[in-house]
Amino acid sequence: HVQLVESGGGSVQPGGSLRLSCAASGITYSSYCMAWFRQAPGKEHEGVASLDRDGNTSYLDSVKGRFTISRDNAKNTVFLDMNSLKPEDTAIYYCAAGPYCLEAGMEYWGQGTQVTVS
């Protein structure tokens, strides 16, 4: 029984910051690629950031330099630190885990958390 639960979403003004967290039960994060995805109403689902088991990171071009993905293995938690937020970052954000860092390889998904920048 695997569950990923996101938290930390909310409403902020442009230029503000948020930290999203994803807590896992039933899996150990260090054994997986962890990733964040997002979807805004009427827009395409897109990958935001990923972190593989070796510590390699990858980011959507539009968030490079502003967002940082990290994990705390002891707490079995993955984070997305978002800085200099823009209105176009408004979306539901989902965390996911899988054996490799592709959306098609994600096996487990969280329920999502809303981020609104206005």
Side-chain angles (χ1 to χ4, degrees), residues 98-117:
Y100 52 94
C101 292
L102 293 172
E103 184 172 357
M106 297 293 107
E107 295 182 344
Y108 309 108
W109 291 82
Q111 85 287 353
T113 187
Q114 177 71 47
V115 172
T116 301
V117 185

mmCIF file with all atom_site columns, all heavy atoms in Angstrom, residues 98-117:
data_model
loop_
_atom_site.group_PDB
_atom_site.id
_atom_site.type_symbol
_atom_site.label_atom_id
_atom_site.label_alt_id
_atom_site.label_comp_id
_atom_site.label_asym_id
_atom_site.label_entity_id
_atom_site.label_seq_id
_atom_site.pdbx_PDB_ins_code
_atom_site.Cartn_x
_atom_site.Cartn_y
_atom_site.Cartn_z
_atom_site.occupancy
_atom_site.B_iso_or_equiv
_atom_site.pdbx_formal_charge
_atom_site.auth_seq_id
_atom_site.auth_comp_id
_atom_site.auth_asym_id
_atom_site.auth_atom_id
_atom_site.pdbx_PDB_model_num
ATOM 1   N N   . GLY A 1 98  ? 9.123  6.701  -9.472  1.00 0.00 ? 98  GLY A N   1
ATOM 2   C CA  . GLY A 1 98  ? 9.222  5.587  -10.386 1.00 0.00 ? 98  GLY A CA  1
ATOM 3   C C   . GLY A 1 98  ? 10.651 5.127  -10.553 1.00 0.00 ? 98  GLY A C   1
ATOM 4   O O   . GLY A 1 98  ? 11.574 5.744  -10.029 1.00 0.00 ? 98  GLY A O   1
ATOM 5   N N   . PRO A 1 99  ? 10.856 4.054  -11.299 1.00 0.00 ? 99  PRO A N   1
ATOM 6   C CA  . PRO A 1 99  ? 12.199 3.488  -11.454 1.00 0.00 ? 99  PRO A CA  1
ATOM 7   C C   . PRO A 1 99  ? 13.119 4.304  -12.352 1.00 0.00 ? 99  PRO A C   1
ATOM 8   O O   . PRO A 1 99  ? 14.333 4.105  -12.301 1.00 0.00 ? 99  PRO A O   1
ATOM 9   C CB  . PRO A 1 99  ? 11.929 2.102  -12.052 1.00 0.00 ? 99  PRO A CB  1
ATOM 10  C CG  . PRO A 1 99  ? 10.630 2.263  -12.769 1.00 0.00 ? 99  PRO A CG  1
ATOM 11  C CD  . PRO A 1 99  ? 9.835  3.223  -11.937 1.00 0.00 ? 99  PRO A CD  1
ATOM 12  N N   . TYR A 1 100 ? 12.578 5.203  -13.185 1.00 0.00 ? 100 TYR A N   1
ATOM 13  C CA  . TYR A 1 100 ? 13.397 6.071  -14.017 1.00 0.00 ? 100 TYR A CA  1
ATOM 14  C C   . TYR A 1 100 ? 12.674 7.388  -14.233 1.00 0.00 ? 100 TYR A C   1
ATOM 15  O O   . TYR A 1 100 ? 11.465 7.489  -14.039 1.00 0.00 ? 100 TYR A O   1
ATOM 16  C CB  . TYR A 1 100 ? 13.766 5.398  -15.349 1.00 0.00 ? 100 TYR A CB  1
ATOM 17  C CG  . TYR A 1 100 ? 12.602 4.847  -16.133 1.00 0.00 ? 100 TYR A CG  1
ATOM 18  C CD1 . TYR A 1 100 ? 11.991 5.616  -17.122 1.00 0.00 ? 100 TYR A CD1 1
ATOM 19  C CD2 . TYR A 1 100 ? 12.126 3.560  -15.904 1.00 0.00 ? 100 TYR A CD2 1
ATOM 20  C CE1 . TYR A 1 100 ? 10.930 5.120  -17.858 1.00 0.00 ? 100 TYR A CE1 1
ATOM 21  C CE2 . TYR A 1 100 ? 11.067 3.054  -16.628 1.00 0.00 ? 100 TYR A CE2 1
ATOM 22  C CZ  . TYR A 1 100 ? 10.476 3.831  -17.605 1.00 0.00 ? 100 TYR A CZ  1
ATOM 23  O OH  . TYR A 1 100 ? 9.421  3.341  -18.340 1.00 0.00 ? 100 TYR A OH  1
ATOM 24  N N   . CYS A 1 101 ? 13.455 8.399  -14.649 1.00 0.00 ? 101 CYS A N   1
ATOM 25  C CA  . CYS A 1 101 ? 12.953 9.770  -14.658 1.00 0.00 ? 101 CYS A CA  1
ATOM 26  C C   . CYS A 1 101 ? 12.259 10.139 -15.971 1.00 0.00 ? 101 CYS A C   1
ATOM 27  O O   . CYS A 1 101 ? 12.674 11.060 -16.681 1.00 0.00 ? 101 CYS A O   1
ATOM 28  C CB  . CYS A 1 101 ? 14.080 10.745 -14.356 1.00 0.00 ? 101 CYS A CB  1
ATOM 29  S SG  . CYS A 1 101 ? 14.724 10.636 -12.667 1.00 0.00 ? 101 CYS A SG  1
ATOM 30  N N   . LEU A 1 102 ? 11.202 9.433  -16.254 1.00 0.00 ? 102 LEU A N   1
ATOM 31  C CA  . LEU A 1 102 ? 10.292 9.743  -17.352 1.00 0.00 ? 102 LEU A CA  1
ATOM 32  C C   . LEU A 1 102 ? 8.882  9.616  -16.820 1.00 0.00 ? 102 LEU A C   1
ATOM 33  O O   . LEU A 1 102 ? 8.602  8.778  -15.970 1.00 0.00 ? 102 LEU A O   1
ATOM 34  C CB  . LEU A 1 102 ? 10.491 8.778  -18.526 1.00 0.00 ? 102 LEU A CB  1
ATOM 35  C CG  . LEU A 1 102 ? 11.816 8.853  -19.275 1.00 0.00 ? 102 LEU A CG  1
ATOM 36  C CD1 . LEU A 1 102 ? 11.921 7.702  -20.264 1.00 0.00 ? 102 LEU A CD1 1
ATOM 37  C CD2 . LEU A 1 102 ? 11.965 10.185 -19.983 1.00 0.00 ? 102 LEU A CD2 1
ATOM 38  N N   . GLU A 1 103 ? 7.987  10.461 -17.337 1.00 0.00 ? 103 GLU A N   1
ATOM 39  C CA  . GLU A 1 103 ? 6.606  10.414 -16.875 1.00 0.00 ? 103 GLU A CA  1
ATOM 40  C C   . GLU A 1 103 ? 6.002  9.024  -17.052 1.00 0.00 ? 103 GLU A C   1
ATOM 41  O O   . GLU A 1 103 ? 5.267  8.552  -16.190 1.00 0.00 ? 103 GLU A O   1
ATOM 42  C CB  . GLU A 1 103 ? 5.757  11.457 -17.600 1.00 0.00 ? 103 GLU A CB  1
ATOM 43  C CG  . GLU A 1 103 ? 4.324  11.518 -17.088 1.00 0.00 ? 103 GLU A CG  1
ATOM 44  C CD  . GLU A 1 103 ? 3.535  12.674 -17.655 1.00 0.00 ? 103 GLU A CD  1
ATOM 45  O OE1 . GLU A 1 103 ? 4.111  13.481 -18.426 1.00 0.00 ? 103 GLU A OE1 1
ATOM 46  O OE2 . GLU A 1 103 ? 2.336  12.795 -17.328 1.00 0.00 ? 103 GLU A OE2 1
ATOM 47  N N   . ALA A 1 104 ? 6.325  8.369  -18.171 1.00 0.00 ? 104 ALA A N   1
ATOM 48  C CA  . ALA A 1 104 ? 5.794  7.039  -18.434 1.00 0.00 ? 104 ALA A CA  1
ATOM 49  C C   . ALA A 1 104 ? 6.299  6.016  -17.430 1.00 0.00 ? 104 ALA A C   1
ATOM 50  O O   . ALA A 1 104 ? 5.687  4.959  -17.267 1.00 0.00 ? 104 ALA A O   1
ATOM 51  C CB  . ALA A 1 104 ? 6.147  6.601  -19.855 1.00 0.00 ? 104 ALA A CB  1
ATOM 52  N N   . GLY A 1 105 ? 7.416  6.311  -16.774 1.00 0.00 ? 105 GLY A N   1
ATOM 53  C CA  . GLY A 1 105 ? 7.973  5.401  -15.797 1.00 0.00 ? 105 GLY A CA  1
ATOM 54  C C   . GLY A 1 105 ? 7.508  5.630  -14.372 1.00 0.00 ? 105 GLY A C   1
ATOM 55  O O   . GLY A 1 105 ? 7.890  4.868  -13.481 1.00 0.00 ? 105 GLY A O   1
ATOM 56  N N   . MET A 1 106 ? 6.701  6.665  -14.162 1.00 0.00 ? 106 MET A N   1
ATOM 57  C CA  . MET A 1 106 ? 6.201  6.939  -12.819 1.00 0.00 ? 106 MET A CA  1
ATOM 58  C C   . MET A 1 106 ? 5.163  5.902  -12.413 1.00 0.00 ? 106 MET A C   1
ATOM 59  O O   . MET A 1 106 ? 4.187  5.672  -13.127 1.00 0.00 ? 106 MET A O   1
ATOM 60  C CB  . MET A 1 106 ? 5.593  8.336  -12.742 1.00 0.00 ? 106 MET A CB  1
ATOM 61  C CG  . MET A 1 106 ? 6.596  9.475  -13.011 1.00 0.00 ? 106 MET A CG  1
ATOM 62  S SD  . MET A 1 106 ? 7.870  9.617  -11.729 1.00 0.00 ? 106 MET A SD  1
ATOM 63  C CE  . MET A 1 106 ? 9.302  8.981  -12.616 1.00 0.00 ? 106 MET A CE  1
ATOM 64  N N   . GLU A 1 107 ? 5.383  5.266  -11.282 1.00 0.00 ? 107 GLU A N   1
ATOM 65  C CA  . GLU A 1 107 ? 4.484  4.230  -10.788 1.00 0.00 ? 107 GLU A CA  1
ATOM 66  C C   . GLU A 1 107 ? 3.512  4.731  -9.726  1.00 0.00 ? 107 GLU A C   1
ATOM 67  O O   . GLU A 1 107 ? 2.419  4.178  -9.583  1.00 0.00 ? 107 GLU A O   1
ATOM 68  C CB  . GLU A 1 107 ? 5.298  3.068  -10.209 1.00 0.00 ? 107 GLU A CB  1
ATOM 69  C CG  . GLU A 1 107 ? 6.141  2.333  -11.232 1.00 0.00 ? 107 GLU A CG  1
ATOM 70  C CD  . GLU A 1 107 ? 6.893  1.160  -10.646 1.00 0.00 ? 107 GLU A CD  1
ATOM 71  O OE1 . GLU A 1 107 ? 7.013  1.071  -9.407  1.00 0.00 ? 107 GLU A OE1 1
ATOM 72  O OE2 . GLU A 1 107 ? 7.373  0.316  -11.432 1.00 0.00 ? 107 GLU A OE2 1
ATOM 73  N N   . TYR A 1 108 ? 3.911  5.752  -8.987  1.00 0.00 ? 108 TYR A N   1
ATOM 74  C CA  . TYR A 1 108 ? 3.106  6.240  -7.869  1.00 0.00 ? 108 TYR A CA  1
ATOM 75  C C   . TYR A 1 108 ? 2.933  7.742  -7.981  1.00 0.00 ? 108 TYR A C   1
ATOM 76  O O   . TYR A 1 108 ? 3.874  8.470  -8.312  1.00 0.00 ? 108 TYR A O   1
ATOM 77  C CB  . TYR A 1 108 ? 3.768  5.887  -6.533  1.00 0.00 ? 108 TYR A CB  1
ATOM 78  C CG  . TYR A 1 108 ? 4.142  4.436  -6.424  1.00 0.00 ? 108 TYR A CG  1
ATOM 79  C CD1 . TYR A 1 108 ? 5.472  4.033  -6.479  1.00 0.00 ? 108 TYR A CD1 1
ATOM 80  C CD2 . TYR A 1 108 ? 3.164  3.456  -6.283  1.00 0.00 ? 108 TYR A CD2 1
ATOM 81  C CE1 . TYR A 1 108 ? 5.814  2.697  -6.394  1.00 0.00 ? 108 TYR A CE1 1
ATOM 82  C CE2 . TYR A 1 108 ? 3.503  2.118  -6.200  1.00 0.00 ? 108 TYR A CE2 1
ATOM 83  C CZ  . TYR A 1 108 ? 4.831  1.743  -6.252  1.00 0.00 ? 108 TYR A CZ  1
ATOM 84  O OH  . TYR A 1 108 ? 5.164  0.414  -6.168  1.00 0.00 ? 108 TYR A OH  1
ATOM 85  N N   . TRP A 1 109 ? 1.724  8.207  -7.684  1.00 0.00 ? 109 TRP A N   1
ATOM 86  C CA  . TRP A 1 109 ? 1.376  9.617  -7.805  1.00 0.00 ? 109 TRP A CA  1
ATOM 87  C C   . TRP A 1 109 ? 0.664  10.108 -6.555  1.00 0.00 ? 109 TRP A C   1
ATOM 88  O O   . TRP A 1 109 ? -0.131 9.384  -5.951  1.00 0.00 ? 109 TRP A O   1
ATOM 89  C CB  . TRP A 1 109 ? 0.452  9.835  -9.001  1.00 0.00 ? 109 TRP A CB  1
ATOM 90  C CG  . TRP A 1 109 ? 1.113  9.623  -10.323 1.00 0.00 ? 109 TRP A CG  1
ATOM 91  C CD1 . TRP A 1 109 ? 1.328  8.435  -10.954 1.00 0.00 ? 109 TRP A CD1 1
ATOM 92  C CD2 . TRP A 1 109 ? 1.643  10.637 -11.179 1.00 0.00 ? 109 TRP A CD2 1
ATOM 93  N NE1 . TRP A 1 109 ? 1.969  8.648  -12.160 1.00 0.00 ? 109 TRP A NE1 1
ATOM 94  C CE2 . TRP A 1 109 ? 2.164  9.985  -12.320 1.00 0.00 ? 109 TRP A CE2 1
ATOM 95  C CE3 . TRP A 1 109 ? 1.721  12.030 -11.099 1.00 0.00 ? 109 TRP A CE3 1
ATOM 96  C CZ2 . TRP A 1 109 ? 2.760  10.689 -13.369 1.00 0.00 ? 109 TRP A CZ2 1
ATOM 97  C CZ3 . TRP A 1 109 ? 2.315  12.729 -12.139 1.00 0.00 ? 109 TRP A CZ3 1
ATOM 98  C CH2 . TRP A 1 109 ? 2.823  12.052 -13.257 1.00 0.00 ? 109 TRP A CH2 1
ATOM 99  N N   . GLY A 1 110 ? 0.937  11.356 -6.190  1.00 0.00 ? 110 GLY A N   1
ATOM 100 C CA  . GLY A 1 110 ? 0.206  11.999 -5.123  1.00 0.00 ? 110 GLY A CA  1
ATOM 101 C C   . GLY A 1 110 ? -1.095 12.592 -5.622  1.00 0.00 ? 110 GLY A C   1
ATOM 102 O O   . GLY A 1 110 ? -1.408 12.561 -6.816  1.00 0.00 ? 110 GLY A O   1
ATOM 103 N N   . GLN A 1 111 ? -1.860 13.150 -4.704  1.00 0.00 ? 111 GLN A N   1
ATOM 104 C CA  . GLN A 1 111 ? -3.185 13.682 -5.026  1.00 0.00 ? 111 GLN A CA  1
ATOM 105 C C   . GLN A 1 111 ? -3.148 15.096 -5.595  1.00 0.00 ? 111 GLN A C   1
ATOM 106 O O   . GLN A 1 111 ? -4.143 15.555 -6.156  1.00 0.00 ? 111 GLN A O   1
ATOM 107 C CB  . GLN A 1 111 ? -4.078 13.644 -3.778  1.00 0.00 ? 111 GLN A CB  1
ATOM 108 C CG  . GLN A 1 111 ? -3.945 14.835 -2.823  1.00 0.00 ? 111 GLN A CG  1
ATOM 109 C CD  . GLN A 1 111 ? -2.656 14.846 -2.018  1.00 0.00 ? 111 GLN A CD  1
ATOM 110 O OE1 . GLN A 1 111 ? -1.864 13.912 -2.042  1.00 0.00 ? 111 GLN A OE1 1
ATOM 111 N NE2 . GLN A 1 111 ? -2.452 15.934 -1.280  1.00 0.00 ? 111 GLN A NE2 1
ATOM 112 N N   . GLY A 1 112 ? -2.039 15.784 -5.452  1.00 0.00 ? 112 GLY A N   1
ATOM 113 C CA  . GLY A 1 112 ? -1.894 17.134 -5.957  1.00 0.00 ? 112 GLY A CA  1
ATOM 114 C C   . GLY A 1 112 ? -2.123 18.198 -4.906  1.00 0.00 ? 112 GLY A C   1
ATOM 115 O O   . GLY A 1 112 ? -2.872 18.003 -3.950  1.00 0.00 ? 112 GLY A O   1
ATOM 116 N N   . THR A 1 113 ? -1.467 19.342 -5.094  1.00 0.00 ? 113 THR A N   1
ATOM 117 C CA  . THR A 1 113 ? -1.662 20.498 -4.231  1.00 0.00 ? 113 THR A CA  1
ATOM 118 C C   . THR A 1 113 ? -1.689 21.753 -5.098  1.00 0.00 ? 113 THR A C   1
ATOM 119 O O   . THR A 1 113 ? -0.900 21.904 -6.028  1.00 0.00 ? 113 THR A O   1
ATOM 120 C CB  . THR A 1 113 ? -0.567 20.576 -3.144  1.00 0.00 ? 113 THR A CB  1
ATOM 121 O OG1 . THR A 1 113 ? -0.872 21.630 -2.219  1.00 0.00 ? 113 THR A OG1 1
ATOM 122 C CG2 . THR A 1 113 ? 0.822  20.811 -3.732  1.00 0.00 ? 113 THR A CG2 1
ATOM 123 N N   . GLN A 1 114 ? -2.618 22.652 -4.797  1.00 0.00 ? 114 GLN A N   1
ATOM 124 C CA  . GLN A 1 114 ? -2.827 23.841 -5.618  1.00 0.00 ? 114 GLN A CA  1
ATOM 125 C C   . GLN A 1 114 ? -1.831 24.937 -5.269  1.00 0.00 ? 114 GLN A C   1
ATOM 126 O O   . GLN A 1 114 ? -1.631 25.257 -4.089  1.00 0.00 ? 114 GLN A O   1
ATOM 127 C CB  . GLN A 1 114 ? -4.252 24.367 -5.429  1.00 0.00 ? 114 GLN A CB  1
ATOM 128 C CG  . GLN A 1 114 ? -4.557 25.647 -6.199  1.00 0.00 ? 114 GLN A CG  1
ATOM 129 C CD  . GLN A 1 114 ? -4.641 25.423 -7.690  1.00 0.00 ? 114 GLN A CD  1
ATOM 130 O OE1 . GLN A 1 114 ? -5.294 24.477 -8.138  1.00 0.00 ? 114 GLN A OE1 1
ATOM 131 N NE2 . GLN A 1 114 ? -3.985 26.285 -8.458  1.00 0.00 ? 114 GLN A NE2 1
ATOM 132 N N   . VAL A 1 115 ? -1.221 25.515 -6.301  1.00 0.00 ? 115 VAL A N   1
ATOM 133 C CA  . VAL A 1 115 ? -0.375 26.697 -6.162  1.00 0.00 ? 115 VAL A CA  1
ATOM 134 C C   . VAL A 1 115 ? -0.988 27.805 -7.009  1.00 0.00 ? 115 VAL A C   1
ATOM 135 O O   . VAL A 1 115 ? -1.212 27.625 -8.207  1.00 0.00 ? 115 VAL A O   1
ATOM 136 C CB  . VAL A 1 115 ? 1.070  26.428 -6.610  1.00 0.00 ? 115 VAL A CB  1
ATOM 137 C CG1 . VAL A 1 115 ? 1.882  27.722 -6.641  1.00 0.00 ? 115 VAL A CG1 1
ATOM 138 C CG2 . VAL A 1 115 ? 1.724  25.410 -5.685  1.00 0.00 ? 115 VAL A CG2 1
ATOM 139 N N   . THR A 1 116 ? -1.265 28.946 -6.379  1.00 0.00 ? 116 THR A N   1
ATOM 140 C CA  . THR A 1 116 ? -1.843 30.086 -7.076  1.00 0.00 ? 116 THR A CA  1
ATOM 141 C C   . THR A 1 116 ? -0.941 31.294 -6.873  1.00 0.00 ? 116 THR A C   1
ATOM 142 O O   . THR A 1 116 ? -0.639 31.666 -5.733  1.00 0.00 ? 116 THR A O   1
ATOM 143 C CB  . THR A 1 116 ? -3.252 30.391 -6.557  1.00 0.00 ? 116 THR A CB  1
ATOM 144 O OG1 . THR A 1 116 ? -4.093 29.250 -6.733  1.00 0.00 ? 116 THR A OG1 1
ATOM 145 C CG2 . THR A 1 116 ? -3.853 31.572 -7.309  1.00 0.00 ? 116 THR A CG2 1
ATOM 146 N N   . VAL A 1 117 ? -0.519 31.907 -7.965  1.00 0.00 ? 117 VAL A N   1
ATOM 147 C CA  . VAL A 1 117 ? 0.350  33.081 -7.915  1.00 0.00 ? 117 VAL A CA  1
ATOM 148 C C   . VAL A 1 117 ? -0.421 34.237 -8.532  1.00 0.00 ? 117 VAL A C   1
ATOM 149 O O   . VAL A 1 117 ? -0.671 34.271 -9.735  1.00 0.00 ? 117 VAL A O   1
ATOM 150 C CB  . VAL A 1 117 ? 1.667  32.851 -8.663  1.00 0.00 ? 117 VAL A CB  1
ATOM 151 C CG1 . VAL A 1 117 ? 2.592  34.052 -8.488  1.00 0.00 ? 117 VAL A CG1 1
ATOM 152 C CG2 . VAL A 1 117 ? 2.345  31.580 -8.169  1.00 0.00 ? 117 VAL A CG2 1
#
